[in-house]
Amino acid sequence: MESALSLKPIVNVAAICGSLRKASFNHGLIRSAIDLTKQSVDGMAIEYVDISPLPMLNTDLEIDGKYPPAVEVFRQKILQSDCFLFASPEYNYSVTAPLKNAIDWASRPPNVWADKAAAIVSAGGGFGGGRSQYILRQSGVYLDLHFINKPEFFLNAFESPPKFDDEGNLIDAAAKERLRAVLLALKAFTLRLQGM
């Protein structure tokens, strides 16, 4: 029988996409990250957490210390995760409204983001969604989230050769390797924060 000490810890990751469009490039990054954990990143399991059912933040919906059912489910998934992978598209130099809404719901007392590791990836035009990452990092300061600093992952989705197929799946080998490096850094930092 294998001893408990020889078992590798599993890092449970909640993956959150700021785009609600199923074929979005940022959804493609999350799908690729999930595939990578099954192929070449041991000891890590990623669960995609859908933020589309969340109502817009309104504290009138908090009744007798309880949140709406969709919010309660979301908060539990965040609470039970070891760390987070954000796929953050850039809208108007910032994060998307659905992503900010999800962040704010999970920060309501008690803040379920606190003292956990996180990484951000993004795909888009120009700077590849990079400006949204800076805004998300600023929110993370108040949330007590600990973002990995390196490697960074911004991907210009419109450069040639194509980075994604017609269904939004990541097909660029170099980008997949960069994404794998992000996952390995997130795993290492999470275990470090947990004292392992």
Side-chain angles (χ1 to χ4, degrees), residues 151-181:
E152 294 180 305
F153 187 102
F154 317 110
L155 183 62
N156 187 324
F158 304 103
E159 289 181 332
S160 291
K163 306 294 187 273
F164 295 87
D165 66 17
D166 292 339
E167 295 176 347
N169 296 307
L170 184 64
I171 57 174
D172 184 79
K176 286 185 180 182
E177 191 53 38
R178 288 175 48 218
L179 181 57
R180 182 176 178 274

Side-chain angles (χ1 to χ4, degrees), residues 54-68:
L54 297 174
M56 289 302 293
L57 181 70
N58 178 353
T59 54
D60 288 344
L61 300 176
E62 299 174 24
I63 299 167
D64 297 327
K66 299 284 185 192
Y67 297 100

Side-chain angles (χ1 to χ4, degrees), residues 104-133:
D104 292 345
W105 269 124
S107 73
R108 297 292 297 152
N111 171 22
V112 292
W113 300 111
D115 205 28
K116 293 183 181 179
I120 317 170
V121 296
S122 58
F127 193 31
R131 283 178 286 251
S132 72
Q133 295 194 18

